[in-house]
Amino acid sequence: MVSNFAYYRWNDVYPMLRAKIDSTQTFFMKQVAGADEAAMKLYKLEGDEAAAQYLTKFSVWASNRLHNQWMQFYGQLFARFRDFYTIVPKENEPVCGCDAQEPGMSEAMKRRIVGETGDHYKVESGGSDGHPDIVRGERDPGARVAQA
């Protein structure tokens, strides 16, 4: 899920992803070194069966932990990078304590859209595209108003 999510917001997600990979790898390298040492002691004292059981339990624990961490990390990414916004903490914001920042499109993407669609999305000077702006309360003069 993390990799699928990262594909469409790579430039935004990568710094968090790299940090998570590095910290996870460091954690598990230490855990594996400790497990190897413990397994070797078991092998010498109790034999290969005891060492194999220990390593099996360790492997199940490690895989469950990694899976749970990665699912939690996916949730963090999903909450932060959603609906083409980046959600960042904002201390004095009374509703959610956050700010939704819109990364926008690169100039290359804007040129591509214009190149592929021509004047289809062009807005004439003055900002009117011939459609009512319902956010500002404008309504379509041709629309029928429902009688209450």
Side-chain angles (χ1 to χ4, degrees):
M1 291 177 72
V2 170
S3 61
N4 286 339
F5 188 84
Y7 288 136
Y8 91 100
R9 293 285 300 266
W10 180 253
N11 289 340
D12 298 318
V13 171
Y14 178 76
M16 288 179 68
L17 181 60
R18 179 79 261 161
K20 185 66 170 178
I21 289 170
D22 291 345
S23 67
T24 300
Q25 185 174 11
T26 298
F27 173 80
F28 279 108
M29 286 175 69
K30 291 176 183 175
Q31 295 299 313
V32 168
D36 286 348
E37 189 176 317
M40 188 55 76
K41 286 179 184 176
L42 277 172
Y43 176 75
K44 290 177 181 176
L45 294 173
E46 299 179 32
D48 59 351
E49 186 66 31
Q53 284 181 352
Y54 171 79
L55 289 172
T56 298
K57 287 179 183 178
F58 171 80
S59 296
V60 170
W61 169 83
S63 63
N64 285 337
R65 180 169 175 135
L66 180 60
H67 175 77
N68 291 335
Q69 282 181 343
W70 221 238
M71 290 301 289
Q72 186 176 35
F73 182 56
Y74 169 75
Q76 292 169 350
L77 292 175
F78 187 82
R80 181 160 181 173
F81 304 106
R82 63 179 183 263
D83 300 329
F84 300 100
Y85 291 96
T86 299
I87 309 303
V88 295
K90 185 176 181 183
E91 191 174 310
N92 296 327
E93 204 289 320
V95 176
C96 69
C98 63
D99 184 34
Q101 299 175 345
E102 184 178 7
M105 285 188 246
S106 68
E107 289 302 314
M109 180 57 78
K110 291 175 186 177
R111 284 191 299 275
R112 178 179 169 193
I113 290 170
V114 170
E116 290 178 3
T117 63
D119 289 343
H120 184 76
Y121 295 108
K122 184 175 182 179
V123 175
E124 299 297 327
S125 62
S128 176
D129 61 0
H131 295 86
D133 186 341
I134 59 172
V135 174
R136 291 191 198 135
E138 296 175 6
R139 68 181 192 95
D140 185 350
R144 301 175 86 190
V145 178
Q147 298 291 324

